[in-house]
Amino acid sequence: MSVRTRVTRLRRSVLAAMITAALCGPVWAAAEPRTPAPAPAALPALSAESLDARYTANRGNIAEAAEMAKAAGDVPRERALRALAAPGRHFLSFDGRGEGRAVEVLGDLAAADRISILVPGSDTTLDTFDGPSSRIGGAARSLQEQIHRQAPEAKVAVVAWLGYTPPKTISTDVLTTTRAEDGARELRGFVSVLEQANDAAGVSLMCHSYGSVVCGRAASGLEVADIAVYGSPGTGADSLAQWGTAARVWAARGEQDWISYVPNVSATFLGTTVGFGADPTSAAFGARVFASGAAGHSDYLAPHSVSLKNLARIALGTAQEVSGD
């Protein structure tokens, strides 16, 4: 049996599993316990002058949430929140309730010439926010460090944006655009409000996995310079023309990324649309494909990787330096 035949059969099996999950998934769903957390802190309106006040208020709110997690016996959540509340970390917003939401800033947001916003994919919560470059917090640090290595004098702020509730990998939501539609509304609002703190910086979006679906749904309402999607299952569109954006759009898929086995289809069964359409790295889609080497699904921002170097160039706005696939 040829490799192509095996891949085709595997893709058909994945498609069948997707359809089954979409139709039967509600039967599998179960309620999850929720660790108590305080309501979000009262924050001043976002502006360059209010950043420090927002950072301080959110640090206090995160510490309070950690105490409540401790009282509830939720050790993983408490440990995660203690790390987020560490001195020197800056959160524009924070909500510890449920899976949680948090928006962290690395660098001087008000003085930045470029702002790069990381939009995460499935399984991202407060519990998984931090860690290595496979997590959004670690990915943001990895990107910021690479930017400084490539351009030490550049004024770039990186934002780790957990501003929506991503789906779980094992769930029906991960197969549809429902969470992405919610995320797109939140992302449009965030980019718009961000202008109140810095209306001169060029903005780029770095969208991983299901986060690329969020960015695809938000694109037509965003004034950004660049959008990069990587490890994408599809963006909910058949071509870049359907995005309705003037931004430069970049796409990458690593050689070892399992997402390549997910069928690039969009089909409707009993009123439920499953799948996200065309592969954004295909020539027909129309994005600028950049090199990502042997990256696996969680490796695109791994230190010293080809993909990280190219994402840093996109963040810097140096399109001419981005290496092609």
Side-chain angles (χ1 to χ4, degrees), residues 123-177:
D123 293 332
T124 307
T125 67
L126 291 180
D127 293 334
T128 63
F129 189 95
D130 257 345
S133 57
S134 59
R135 304 298 190 184
I136 185 173
R141 289 190 293 275
S142 184
L143 180 60
Q144 184 78 327
E145 290 166 2
Q146 182 64 37
I147 288 169
H148 285 308
R149 276 193 292 269
Q150 293 178 193
E153 302 303 318
K155 295 189 290 186
V156 179
V158 176
V159 177
W161 185 80
L162 179 55
Y164 80 116
T165 303
K168 296 182 182 301
T169 297
I170 307 301
S171 71
T172 56
D173 287 335
V174 80
L175 308 176
T176 72
T177 61

Side-chain angles (χ1 to χ4, degrees), residues 250 289-292 306 309-310 313 318-325:
W250 308 82
V289 178
F290 65 93
S292 55
V306 173
K309 292 174 183 177
N310 275 328
R313 291 167 185 141
T318 54
Q320 69 281 2
E321 298 179 10
V322 178
S323 60
D325 202 12

Side-chain angles (χ1 to χ4, degrees), residues 129-247:
F129 189 95
D130 257 345
S133 57
S134 59
R135 304 298 190 184
I136 185 173
R141 289 190 293 275
S142 184
L143 180 60
Q144 184 78 327
E145 290 166 2
Q146 182 64 37
I147 288 169
H148 285 308
R149 276 193 292 269
Q150 293 178 193
E153 302 303 318
K155 295 189 290 186
V156 179
V158 176
V159 177
W161 185 80
L162 179 55
Y164 80 116
T165 303
K168 296 182 182 301
T169 297
I170 307 301
S171 71
T172 56
D173 287 335
V174 80
L175 308 176
T176 72
T177 61
T178 301
R179 295 288 182 95
E181 297 288 358
D182 293 340
R185 284 191 291 272
E186 297 291 346
L187 184 57
R188 290 191 200 103
F190 176 72
V191 173
S192 178
V193 170
L194 197 60
E195 295 178 356
Q196 298 174 16
N198 186 331
D199 62 358
V203 176
S204 60
L205 302 180
M206 307 291 177
C207 317
H208 178 237
S209 193
Y210 189 86
S212 67
V213 188
V214 175
C215 291
R217 308 307 271 188
S220 64
L222 293 174
E223 293 187 11
V224 296
D226 294 273
I227 303 175
V229 300
Y230 43 97
S232 173
T235 66
D238 292 325
S239 71
L240 186 56
Q242 294 178 357
W243 277 27
T245 180

Side-chain angles (χ1 to χ4, degrees), residues 64-161:
E64 183 181 355
E67 288 297 323
M68 294 180 72
K70 178 180 179 180
D74 189 338
V75 175
R77 175 60 63 91
E78 180 198 357
R79 184 181 299 118
L81 293 176
R82 298 285 185 204
L84 299 187
R89 300 192 69 170
H90 299 144
F91 285 84
L92 270 183
S93 61
F94 174 80
D95 186 346
R97 298 170 298 182
E99 298 293 342
R101 297 186 180 189
V103 178
E104 184 177 17
V105 176
L106 286 76
D108 190 338
L109 187 64
D113 294 324
R114 298 276 301 188
I115 299 171
S116 186
I117 303 170
L118 273 64
V119 181
S122 59
D123 293 332
T124 307
T125 67
L126 291 180
D127 293 334
T128 63
F129 189 95
D130 257 345
S133 57
S134 59
R135 304 298 190 184
I136 185 173
R141 289 190 293 275
S142 184
L143 180 60
Q144 184 78 327
E145 290 166 2
Q146 182 64 37
I147 288 169
H148 285 308
R149 276 193 292 269
Q150 293 178 193
E153 302 303 318
K155 295 189 290 186
V156 179
V158 176
V159 177
W161 185 80

